[in-house]
Amino acid sequence: MPFEPVDDIPNIDEVSLNAKTIDGMMRGLVRLFVTALRNQYGVDEILKELLSDILFIFLISHTSIRAIVDRALRKTEHPLIADAMSLTREQVEKLFVIALLLDNPNKWITQYLRNSWRSNYEDYLLAKDELQKNLMFQEYINKHWPEGIEKMRRLPNRRGRGSKLIVSSFAMRAVKYKFNNPDSPKPTWFKRSGSVRDYLDSYFQFPTPGKAIRKIRNPNIQCFLRRWYKEYQFLCGYSHVALGKLGLYGMSKSKDFWTSEKLGIMAKRKADDAIILSYTATASSCVLVMAILSNQFGEKSNLQSFWKALIAFSLFAKAVWKIMPEKLLE
């Protein structure tokens, strides 16, 4: 899908970024939105808790990105920037998770928790196999961990009474069978059509960003996420050990002065990209969350101020702003 051209930033050569100032704005914005979420009536309590936690994780990941970038540039350890880009990918991925949870809370909250349950259960099965003879772990493996797994199979009732089973005994049995028999045909007790793997994928899957776009029902948000997906694809090269991950290290091995100088310039540019993308992903997530808030704490004006600061120095932020946030916030 083609995207609209972006006007240049006036006097861009004279514009500078005060990261400490923007960091403070970002922290204040996230805390304000979390406060607004927790005090918002008429919104599912589990949805509010998940969104609040994800927003706070934006701050944690951003702190890690800033620490890596600071060490990489201050200590001239430029290959570290590649790890900052990997963390930036996570910032972008959070945006897609939030979009899905907001699009259809009843469906995607269940899938999100099911997906987490499966990972925890498979981790337990592995630990049980490897540590079953270790006396030190017996109580944890045979009592406390299974109790936690059983508790995670149920979703607290939204009205505060009882709970809802979200992982059936059949699904639990299928996970265990597939874990213990990864290449075997389906067993006689499995009466469903298709393979065990297909069943598990359908039952437990929480969509990755590329698939998430097709699940979103709002066409404006779809367009917004498609632009973000271009960044996500590029950043995946740093998490999947493509040449982007290896490039800075490869250049750092050269003793040539020209290459060393070019490495410093490239590292600085990628460091800027990592930080700006982290800011913009946070701002974009807040735009989506804004749709379920009543603005009783002044969330909208604070979000407008944050975007204004971003588009003053970033062409990327300006491009993203034009796709959807501008229409919703002005």
Side-chain angles (χ1 to χ4, degrees), residues 19-35 55-56 58-60 62-63 66 279 282 286 302 306:
K20 289 185 177 180
T21 299
I22 306 299
D23 282 355
M25 293 180 69
M26 179 178 171
R27 288 192 295 271
L29 180 70
V30 166
R31 288 168 180 156
L32 178 64
F33 265 71
V34 169
T35 298
L55 287 176
F56 267 130
F58 268 109
L59 295 183
I60 294 172
H62 185 75
T63 300
R66 293 282 277 118
Y279 289 146
T282 306
C286 288
N302 276 267
F306 191 54

Side-chain angles (χ1 to χ4, degrees), residues 21 41 126 130 155 170 211 233 247 249 258 274 297 306:
T21 299
Y41 294 104
L126 177 61
E130 293 183 344
L155 185 69
F170 183 86
K211 294 178 181 178
Q233 287 178 303
Y249 173 69
W258 182 85
F297 292 91
F306 191 54

Side-chain angles (χ1 to χ4, degrees), residues 16-301:
S16 61
L17 163 67
N18 187 324
K20 289 185 177 180
T21 299
I22 306 299
D23 282 355
M25 293 180 69
M26 179 178 171
R27 288 192 295 271
L29 180 70
V30 166
R31 288 168 180 156
L32 178 64
F33 265 71
V34 169
T35 298
L37 272 168
R38 290 176 175 170
N39 288 276
Q40 184 67 45
Y41 294 104
V43 177
D44 184 278
E45 291 298 321
I46 297 175
L47 176 63
K48 290 196 294 185
E49 190 66 24
L50 283 174
L51 293 176
S52 297
D53 288 350
I54 294 171
L55 287 176
F56 267 130
I57 295 297
F58 268 109
L59 295 183
I60 294 172
S61 296
H62 185 75
T63 300
S64 298
I65 291 168
R66 293 282 277 118
I68 292 172
V69 165
D70 179 65
R71 181 179 177 91
L73 299 182
R74 184 166 46 84
K75 298 286 188 178
T76 322
E77 297 177 0
H78 296 132
L80 288 175
I81 298 294
D83 283 349
M85 298 298 276
S86 292
L87 281 171
T88 303
R89 171 184 175 267
E90 292 184 24
Q91 297 290 69
V92 177
E93 192 166 7
K94 293 181 185 75
L95 171 63
F96 288 84
V97 173
I98 286 175
L100 278 173
L101 293 175
L102 287 168
D103 182 78
N104 190 343
N106 288 333
K107 177 178 182 178
W108 296 120
I109 287 175
T110 297
Q111 290 306 112
Y112 186 81
L113 297 177
R114 275 179 176 171
N115 186 272
S116 298
W117 179 90
R118 181 182 180 181
S119 295
N120 187 273
Y121 184 49
E122 289 178 339
D123 189 27
Y124 163 73
L125 292 173
L126 177 61
K128 188 175 182 181
D129 283 347
E130 293 183 344
L131 303 175
Q132 58 183 315
K133 294 184 179 181
N134 191 318
L135 296 178
M136 183 173 63
F137 292 98
Q138 290 305 300
E139 184 175 359
Y140 183 58
I141 288 177
N142 295 314
K143 183 178 187 300
H144 300 303
W145 201 341
E147 287 175 352
I149 288 170
E150 189 62 28
K151 184 177 181 180
M152 287 177 65
R153 288 179 62 205
R154 289 169 171 78
L155 185 69
N157 192 297
R158 289 168 170 77
R159 296 182 180 179
R161 296 180 180 179
S163 61
K164 171 187 174 183
L165 187 70
I166 60 171
V167 178
S168 69
S169 297
F170 183 86
M172 185 174 183
R173 186 180 183 186
V175 171
K176 184 176 182 179
Y177 175 82
K178 187 63 177 176
F179 181 86
N180 291 324
N181 307 275
D183 299 317
S184 300
K186 62 183 182 182
T188 56
W189 55 264
F190 190 87
K191 304 299 183 182
R192 310 292 176 93
S193 60
S195 66
V196 178
R197 178 178 180 175
D198 290 342
Y199 166 76
L200 293 176
D201 286 347
S202 174
Y203 193 89
F204 289 100
Q205 185 184 67
F206 188 83
T208 54
K211 294 178 181 178
I213 296 173
R214 298 191 292 274
K215 306 290 185 182
I216 298 295
R217 295 173 291 184
N218 185 317
N220 293 325
I221 296 177
Q222 270 193 339
C223 181
F224 188 54
L225 293 179
R226 284 196 182 98
R227 176 61 185 90
W228 267 109
Y229 188 63
K230 302 300 182 184
E231 301 304 312
Y232 178 79
Q233 287 178 303
F234 169 72
L235 292 167
C236 280
Y238 290 91
S239 295
H240 298 158
V241 200
L243 283 178
K245 187 78 169 183
L246 304 177
L248 289 173
Y249 173 69
M251 293 178 68
S252 72
K253 294 188 295 182
S254 174
K255 304 302 181 183
D256 178 77
F257 175 77
W258 182 85
T259 303
S260 298
E261 185 179 35
K262 186 177 180 181
L263 172 61
I265 295 170
M266 183 179 294
K268 178 63 169 64
R269 180 174 64 81
K270 290 186 179 297
D272 289 344
D273 288 345
I275 294 170
I276 290 168
L277 282 167
S278 180
Y279 289 146
T280 312
T282 306
S284 295
S285 295
C286 288
V287 168
L288 299 181
V289 174
M290 190 73 226
I292 63 171
L293 299 180
S294 58
N295 198 31
Q296 61 179 321
F297 292 91
E299 310 93 271
K300 185 174 181 179
S301 62

Side-chain angles (χ1 to χ4, degrees), residues 7-17 311-315 318:
D7 294 335
D8 200 0
I9 295 172
N11 303 315
I12 193 168
D13 291 336
E14 301 173 12
V15 174
S16 61
L17 163 67
I311 64 177
F313 63 79
S314 169
L315 285 172
K318 195 172 183 180

